[in-house]
């Protein structure tokens, strides 16, 4: 069994982004800029935004965080996004999810200029990804693809079971895999017999938010297991969606939590923002 070390791979990506930022600054006087919008007081969301801010600083980006109270109206959020759409120092706009219940997430995401949609959540980018066209791709699935590439894992013809079908994780993951010629099964909460699907997969990619959902008897010998889940359990520690101790011995490759997909998500956010900055006119 080999661990896929997302932490180290993310550092490599960040170093390369930092080098490109320095060059962009020197040659074109461009400093990539990221605007983050966060609504409410959810501690996990604030922790993620803090990590993103720090990562931006480390690679030399300009970043601004708009912290808004839980009670803010939808039109006020839209106003800020429109300001960021028109701000020439901003290349990427990210709205930290989830948003409070009185805000319609789909409406908000559609206000972001697709050219600054570094999270890849705008239907324009999601549609382009689905049709195999160049687009901004959601950072978590993109990070998983980067892991496959770094570890020389060939996807062509592989049976891949994606567990979880959200717009930000499972669906873009499935599109990327399909574009890489894998045979993809997407499973979700309504799937009747999850084990029947996971146990025949060469690769299992799980992002649902249920600790230890994937157990050893659901995994074929030699399978590759990618754990996207992040769950804080009663003792305060972070775990994924895979029963890591029991599953790892059966795998050829597996990602740990923490230190797996999480750091790659942030690295891909930086990479997408850099790409956007390079496309400034
Ligand atoms: P979500 O709630 O939007 O979607 C969850 C998906 O899992 C749904 O499709 C649902 O049908 C499915 N699901 C739920 N319970 C299931 C079950 N028992 N069996 C099969 N499918 C089930 O969540 P999300 O935003 O997609 O996030 C999923 C997980 O990934 C969370 O733990 C989240 O914290 C994590 N996440 C991690 C990163 C990262 O950087 N590593 C990024 C985004 C999300």
């Amino acid at each position: 069994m080999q661990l896929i070390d997302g932490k180290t791979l993310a550092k490599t990506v960040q170093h390369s982004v930092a080098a490109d930022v320095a060059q962009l600054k020197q040659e074109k006087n461009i400093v990539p800029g990221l605007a983050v919008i966060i609504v409410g007081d959810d501690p996990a969301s604030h922790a993620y935004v803090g990590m993103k801010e720090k990562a931006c600083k480390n690679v030399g980006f300009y970043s601004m965080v708009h912290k808004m109270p839980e009670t803010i109206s939808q039109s006020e959020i839209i106003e800020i996004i429109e300001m960021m759409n028109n701000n020439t120092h901003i290349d990427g706009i990210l709205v930290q999810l989830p948003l409070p219940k009185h805000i319609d997430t789909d409406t908000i995401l559609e206000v972001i200029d697709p050219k600054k949609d570094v999270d890849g959540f705008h239907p324009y980018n999601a549609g382009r990804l689905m049709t195999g066209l160049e687009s901004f791709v959601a950072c978590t699935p993109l990070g998983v693809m980067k892991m496959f590439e770094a570890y020389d894992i060939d996807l062509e013809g592989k049976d891949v079971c994606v567990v979880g079908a959200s717009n930000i994780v499972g669906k873009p993951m499935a599109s990327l895999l399909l574009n890489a010629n894998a045979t993809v099964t997407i499973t979700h909460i309504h799937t009747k017999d999850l084990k029947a699907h996971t146990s025949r997969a060469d690769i299992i990619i799980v992002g649902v938010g249920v600790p230890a959902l994937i157990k050893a008897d659901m995994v074929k010998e030699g399978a590759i297991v990618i754990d996207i889940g992040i769950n804080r359990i009663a003792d305060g520690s972070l775990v994924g969606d895979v029963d890591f101790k029991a599953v790892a011995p059966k795998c050829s490759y597996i990602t740990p939590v923490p230190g797996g997909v999480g750091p790659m998500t942030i690295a891909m956010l930086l990479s997408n923002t850099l790409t956007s900055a390079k496309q400034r006119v």
Side-chain angles (χ1 to χ4, degrees):
M1 181 275 293
Q2 194 181 344
L3 266 188
I4 298 184
D5 181 354
K7 206 170 163 185
T8 303
L9 184 55
K11 274 191 191 141
T12 310
V13 174
Q14 295 202 14
H15 284 141
S16 140
V17 169
D20 277 18
V21 171
Q23 196 182 353
L24 204 57
K25 203 169 170 182
Q26 197 183 22
E27 289 175 4
K28 297 194 173 159
N29 202 23
I30 288 176
V31 177
L34 179 72
V36 178
I37 293 160
I38 176 163
V39 183
D41 302 318
D42 177 50
S45 292
H46 277 272
Y48 290 137
V49 167
M51 285 190 265
K52 289 168 188 174
E53 233 185 322
K54 193 172 157 210
C56 281
K57 207 171 159 195
N58 286 344
V59 295
F61 282 6
Y62 163 64
S63 73
M64 56 164 91
V65 179
H66 296 272
K67 292 183 181 157
M68 301 179 175
E70 183 91 21
T71 50
I72 197 155
S73 69
Q74 183 158 307
S75 57
E76 284 171 291
I77 302 175
I78 290 175
E79 232 172 80
I80 294 285
I81 296 175
E82 282 169 348
M83 262 168 58
M84 296 301 104
N85 282 344
N86 294 321
N87 184 330
T88 52
H89 299 289
I90 293 298
D91 301 287
I93 302 168
L94 179 162
V95 177
Q96 185 66 37
L97 302 180
L99 290 168
K101 290 209 162 45
H102 67 282
I103 309 287
D104 183 48
T105 303
D106 293 333
T107 303
I108 292 294
L109 294 179
E110 259 191 296
V111 179
I112 298 172
D113 180 346
K115 290 195 211 76
K116 298 189 178 188
D117 174 38
V118 289
D119 249 346
F121 295 165
H122 193 292
Y124 173 84
N125 283 312
R128 285 184 68 91
L129 169 65
M130 196 161 201
T131 44
L133 295 170
E134 198 156 313
S135 64
F136 282 119
V137 176
C139 300
T140 302
L142 187 60
V144 173
M145 294 303 279
K146 194 85 187 169
M147 286 172 147
F148 289 140
E149 191 191 308
Y151 281 79
D152 254 333
I153 295 168
D154 185 21
L155 296 168
E156 192 166 289
K158 294 277 162 61
D159 281 321
V160 187
C161 181
V162 177
V163 188
S166 70
N167 288 340
I168 65 170
V169 177
K171 285 184 199 165
M173 189 73 251
S175 289
L176 286 164
L177 292 162
L178 206 52
N179 292 348
N181 300 327
T183 301
V184 187
T185 304
I186 312 175
T187 60
H188 44 76
I189 189 82
H190 302 291
T191 298
K192 285 205 181 88
D193 185 357
L194 183 60
K195 185 177 164 183
H197 296 286
T198 57
S199 55
R200 65 161 183 266
D202 302 312
I203 303 175
I204 300 167
I205 303 177
V206 55
V208 305
V210 178
L213 177 72
I214 304 300
K215 304 201 164 39
D217 66 351
M218 298 168 77
V219 178
K220 160 169 113 173
E221 203 66 50
I224 296 169
V225 174
I226 307 291
D227 191 352
I228 293 174
I230 303 177
N231 310 289
R232 195 166 291 280
I233 54 170
D235 68 5
S237 61
L238 282 184
V239 298
D241 292 341
V242 176
D243 181 357
F244 185 88
K245 259 195 191 153
V247 170
K250 292 185 85 173
C251 298
S252 54
Y253 293 92
I254 188 167
T255 60
V257 177
V261 178
M264 289 306 291
T265 298
I266 296 186
M268 293 302 104
L269 173 67
L270 300 173
S271 169
N272 281 351
T273 306
L274 173 69
T275 301
S276 177
K278 286 180 176 173
Q279 289 164 357
R280 258 194 220 181
V281 280

